[in-house]
Amino acid sequence: MINPALLDAVPSLSVHKWFGKVTRVVGLTIESSGPNAAVGDICFIHSGRDGNGRIRAEVVGFREDSVLLMPLSDTVDIAPGNLVECTEQPLTIPVGKDLIGHVIDGVGQPLSGITHDNAFSRVPAEKAPPNPLSRPRITECLSLGVRVIDGLFSVGKGQRIGIFAGSGVGKSTLLAMIAKHSAADVNVIALIGERGREVKDFVERDLGEEGMKKTVLVVVTSDQPALMRVKGAMTATAVAEYFRDLGLSVNLMMDSVTRFAMAQREIGLAIGEPPTTKGYPPSVFAMLPRLLERSGTNVHGSITAFYTVLVDGDDMNEPIADAVRGILDGHLVLDRNLANKGQFPAINVLKSVSRVMSDIVTEQHLASASHLRELLAVYTDAEDLISIGAYKRGSNQKLDEAVGAHPDILAFIKQATNEEVTFEDTEKRLLDRF
């Protein structure tokens, strides 16, 4: 028996297949005369002298009578006159529970031993964020297994946190700790623009077998085209949305939003957008909320998101860092000076904040966390005096308390990467001492 829904769809089916021809390639952009396509449609370029190759590309704009395409792979073998075939569909990716424990690329294709069979369904890589009025409020804590975060910047299910740091300060190590020790059901980790050498290091050394058991890893290395890096971020978010819609608690971790923004800058400049804020075209700042707002809660489950931001020269006010900080629900600042002193995680407690902590923890927890921050602030202000021996005990009661508590504060903040702690243990230790 024929499905009635299929019969209803017949009148809307196109009986034509649209083709165009490549006219020129300029940098990252391929121009073609035709086909009849819309922005976001996926096209196949029949490349090579014999036309037997197929390069997937996306329509990114138009210039007079030309269609502007951006490839999802290298542009070698493309020649004038190559046929351009339009699929009339945006990019879709395969999703399913069997993705857990495996590595995929920026368009959902497997990089480790997995085959896409009937158990997988296809979803669009790009979706609109949930209706803001349909998002449940964040009321439940998520244990991350990282003491300084659970204690001082408690994260709720569905919260979005930025991790701001320069290069080599411990972002990847912190993400791996969260992936291994968090109470979330599934991790989706996106490595966007990562060095190829470090991917296997992250899988085997940082995550390990324990971390991969509940992780889907999306990898787009720095040598891949700009559009692939953008799609990698969208694909990881789509995979996280699939698991959220199953009613699961999902951790989405993206390293890094900065490389996503730089890839979009390449695309924008290539199609003729004017550079505005420090070389970034307007499309970058339009894309950021479209990506970041997709995470969070919906009526089925939650995506708790961690986005790393690579700050050039440790400048926290550069355009991407400033834009991302304004969108997210809190930020953790990793400090190079603390890392140089051997403090890991190198989170600067006084510069970091969780905007939903007051809604999800007890008043006693909040008071103890505030007391610890106050003592640390007092100690930090007088640290130079203490280090040169100019501080005299008894001259300032609050400073005396801060000096006495400082070893306990450092012991609370520091944590080995393989040290497992529960939220309950963290809360008890915080309340007992501070």
Side-chain angles (χ1 to χ4, degrees), residues 100-102 176 179-181 187 189 200-216 420:
I100 297 174
H102 292 284
K180 286 190 289 189
H181 305 320
N187 300 310
I189 304 178
K200 201 162 187 180
D201 285 348
F202 183 78
V203 172
E204 296 182 358
R205 181 193 64 200
D206 295 336
L207 273 183
E209 186 178 347
E210 178 190 356
M212 279 301 295
K213 281 181 182 176
K214 62 174 186 176
T215 297
V216 180
E420 293 190 34

Side-chain angles (χ1 to χ4, degrees), residues 127-338:
K127 291 182 185 176
N131 184 321
L133 294 181
S134 71
R135 290 181 185 262
R137 293 187 64 228
I138 299 170
T139 57
E140 187 179 351
C141 256
L142 177 67
S143 174
L144 300 181
V146 180
R147 190 165 44 238
V148 64
I149 302 177
D150 285 344
L152 305 182
F153 312 103
S154 304
V155 172
K157 287 185 178 180
Q159 187 174 351
R160 299 161 306 157
I161 291 279
I163 299 175
F164 294 75
S167 57
V169 188
K171 298 186 300 299
S172 298
T173 304
L174 180 58
L175 291 182
M177 287 177 68
I178 294 171
K180 286 190 289 189
H181 305 320
S182 166
D185 300 313
V186 181
N187 300 310
V188 179
I189 304 178
L191 302 181
I192 307 300
E194 189 59 88
R195 292 179 287 272
R197 176 188 64 80
E198 295 192 344
V199 172
K200 201 162 187 180
D201 285 348
F202 183 78
V203 172
E204 296 182 358
R205 181 193 64 200
D206 295 336
L207 273 183
E209 186 178 347
E210 178 190 356
M212 279 301 295
K213 281 181 182 176
K214 62 174 186 176
T215 297
V216 180
L217 194 61
V218 181
V219 172
V220 186
T221 51
S222 59
D223 60 294
Q224 294 184 267
L227 184 62
M228 193 68 155
R229 281 174 268 149
V230 170
K231 292 303 178 189
M234 298 296 182
T235 292
T237 307
V239 172
E241 288 170 333
Y242 166 78
F243 288 111
R244 175 179 65 184
D245 291 343
L246 294 179
L248 300 177
S249 170
V250 184
N251 275 347
L252 171 63
M253 290 173 263
M254 190 173 296
D255 185 14
S256 69
V257 172
T258 305
R259 295 192 183 107
F260 165 83
M262 292 171 71
Q264 181 58 35
R265 175 171 66 179
E266 289 180 43
I267 295 170
L269 296 177
I271 63 176
E273 277 193 82
T276 51
T277 310
K278 290 193 176 179
Y280 288 98
S283 64
V284 172
F285 301 98
M287 287 283 281
L288 283 172
R290 280 172 51 195
L291 174 70
L292 304 179
E293 287 287 352
R294 288 171 63 183
S295 54
T297 59
N298 74 358
V299 294
H300 304 291
S302 65
I303 298 174
T304 308
F306 301 88
Y307 299 100
T308 71
V309 181
L310 188 64
V311 286
D312 293 334
D314 297 327
D315 177 14
M316 291 297 300
N317 295 315
E318 61 95 23
I320 300 303
D322 202 41
V324 171
R325 191 166 53 240
I327 297 169
L328 299 180
D329 307 318
H331 53 270
L332 304 172
V333 178
L334 302 190
D335 192 317
R336 191 178 302 279
N337 291 330
L338 296 178

